[in-house]
Structures are given as structure tokens and as C-alpha cells.
Amino acid sequence: PTVCAIAWMVETALSTYSEYHYLGLKNYKLFKGIIFDGKQAEDYLVDLNLLSDTAELLEVEVKISSETEGKTTFHYSAVLMLVKDRESVPLYSGELPVLTAQQHNLYEDGTLFHGESLQGITAINHCDENGLMLSCIINNSVKQKQGEFDVTNNNIFANDLVYQALLVWVRKQLGLGSLPTATAQWTVYQEVPVGKPFYLKLELTANKRNKKVIADIQMINQDKQILASIIGAQVTASESLN
């Protein structure tokens, strides 16, 4: 998934710049992706290119690629933002609904297809042509399934819900399937804790003839703290993806 590729890039950058913290990314792009069909490459190259270095911020371009029979294939790229000290957590100024437990299962009605560890959406609190509000929680059981990505440092299970939210909106409003393709910017103020409910608020910013859907998204905890802010998350929507 996209969030695993991002986590892969983040882990590599932080192992190189160990005195820094991950603040977020910009200009994330999915190129070929990686399909585990038995034909995938055996080795992958994660290339780091330092774009800017100031007292407060590093910007590092990261590209993941592979080489087969002398041909280079690019899979993912992004510019990561690394800081010595993370920014303070901003507060959400609007009203929030009551967090809702399991209302109807989006993972069984055909809306979503994700496996158990990624089934973090518990309810749709609101959904219209302008966006949606979701109730979410990441089950404690993911700690036994996190693999090399420690959820306390990079909660890939919660981050995946950002793109799931877009898939839900596209399905409910357009009746189409969709696939994540790009993200303009993602700022992390605090990782989403496991086992604690939170909100995911999506606001639509562009719907280009039902082919490209773009939205801004916030992850908000029960104390109205904005844990992460995503600008320009994009999916491609089409009937073929149904």
C-alpha cells in the first residue's frame, strides 16, 4: 500500500539523519508501484537527495526504484521534511460529532476491500457532496502485525485510513472504484495512538469529471487536537476499478 511505501522512505531517511524527526512530506507520487505477483524485483534502491538544509528543516527527496534487465523502473517518490523539534499540535476549531462504534461494515458491503489490520473505520458520521466525517480506531492487535514499522513512530494502519476515506467518498458519491495516486503535502504533528478512537475529516477540493478526486483531510483526536493534516490527497476514479 501507499502508506507502506511512505513508511519505507521515512525509515530510510531517519536512519540516515538520525538526529531529526519526521514532520511530513510533500509531492508524493505513485509511479509503477510494487505488485507482489512473483514477478517483482528482488532488490530495490531507495535514493536520498538532500534538497535543502537549514537550522530548522531538512528537505530530502526520496525515490524508490528497481532495475530489471538493465531497465530502471521508478515506483514511488516524495520530498520528506525532517526537523530537530516537532511543531506544537494545533486544535480543531469546529464542532465534532459523537464518536460512533461499528455502525455498518464498509469492509463487508463492497465499499472497501482491506484486510483485518487495516479495518479502522467504524462509522460514517456524515457524508455529502462536499466531504465526510468518519469515526475510526486502530485495534491494539496491530502491534503483533506491525512488522518492521513501529506504530508508535509511524502508524501505517491509521495513515492508510486517509486514502480509505477518499475511496469511501468516491464510492458513496460517485458510485466508482478508485486508486490513490498522489499527495501534495502531509504534516504529522503527533502519531495516531493505537486503541484510542479518533476522527477523520475529509473536505473535497476538486472533482475533475469523475476521473480525478482531490481532498484535504485531517486526523483529529477526542481532545480536538489535529494529529495530522493532509493537503491534496488524490485518487483516480473509474468504473474499471469497481
Side-chain angles (χ1 to χ4, degrees):
T2 286
V3 292
C4 288
I6 293 172
W8 188 4
M9 290 189 279
V10 172
E11 292 283 335
T12 304
L14 291 180
S15 68
T16 303
Y17 304 100
S18 56
E19 69 275 25
Y20 286 83
H21 301 281
Y22 174 59
L23 173 65
L25 60 79
K26 58 185 181 180
N27 301 331
Y28 168 79
K29 294 179 182 178
L30 165 67
F31 297 115
K32 188 68 175 178
I34 299 174
I35 301 173
F36 294 94
D37 57 0
K39 300 178 182 179
Q40 71 272 10
E42 292 185 6
D43 299 302
Y44 292 87
L45 174 67
V46 185
D47 181 59
L48 305 181
N49 178 26
L50 183 62
L51 299 180
S52 66
D53 181 359
T54 67
E56 300 297 329
L57 176 70
L58 289 185
E59 290 191 344
V60 183
E61 182 183 44
V62 186
K63 293 182 179 180
I64 297 176
S65 64
S66 63
E67 188 169 314
T68 305
E69 298 179 352
K71 179 183 178 182
T72 299
T73 300
F74 289 97
H75 300 280
Y76 310 93
S77 75
V79 175
L80 304 187
M81 296 175 287
L82 308 179
V83 292
K84 289 288 183 69
D85 298 300
R86 275 186 167 175
E87 297 181 17
S88 58
V89 179
L91 293 177
Y92 178 71
S93 59
E95 293 299 318
L96 292 171
V98 175
L99 280 163
T100 307
Q102 194 71 50
Q103 184 184 62
H104 57 268
N105 199 328
L106 297 169
Y107 304 96
E108 292 182 355
D109 67 6
T111 303
L112 296 170
F113 51 84
H114 301 71
E116 181 181 359
S117 299
L118 297 172
Q119 294 180 5
I121 299 173
T122 59
I124 300 174
N125 295 96
H126 174 76
C127 182
D128 62 19
E129 67 275 9
N130 298 314
L132 54 72
M133 177 78 77
L134 302 174
S135 291
C136 307
I137 189 170
I138 302 302
N139 194 286
N140 283 300
S141 63
V142 303
K143 292 180 180 179
Q144 283 73 52
K145 304 174 183 179
Q146 64 186 1
E148 65 183 278
F149 304 123
D150 187 342
V151 293
T152 59
N153 298 323
N154 198 322
N155 193 336
I156 60 173
F157 304 99
N159 295 344
D160 194 70
L161 301 185
V162 167
Y163 298 105
Q164 289 187 36
L166 271 161
L167 270 59
V168 170
W169 188 90
V170 171
R171 174 68 69 184
K172 297 298 183 183
Q173 294 296 317
L174 307 179
L176 299 172
S178 54
L179 180 69
T181 53
T183 302
Q185 185 168 329
W186 188 319
T187 303
V188 178
Y189 300 103
Q190 182 178 310
E191 290 297 331
V192 174
V194 172
K196 293 186 178 181
F198 63 97
Y199 301 92
L200 199 154
K201 182 179 184 293
L202 180 150
E203 182 178 351
L204 193 74
T205 58
N207 178 11
K208 299 181 179 180
R209 297 181 181 178
N210 296 349
K211 293 182 180 180
K212 185 183 295 183
V213 176
I214 305 173
D216 295 342
I217 299 166
Q218 293 178 321
M219 305 169 86
I220 308 163
N221 70 11
Q222 290 175 289
D223 297 322
K224 287 193 169 184
Q225 292 178 315
I226 299 174
L227 305 178
S229 177
I230 298 90
I231 298 173
Q234 177 181 303
V235 296
T236 298
S238 78
E239 291 185 5
S240 65
L241 291 170
N242 286 337

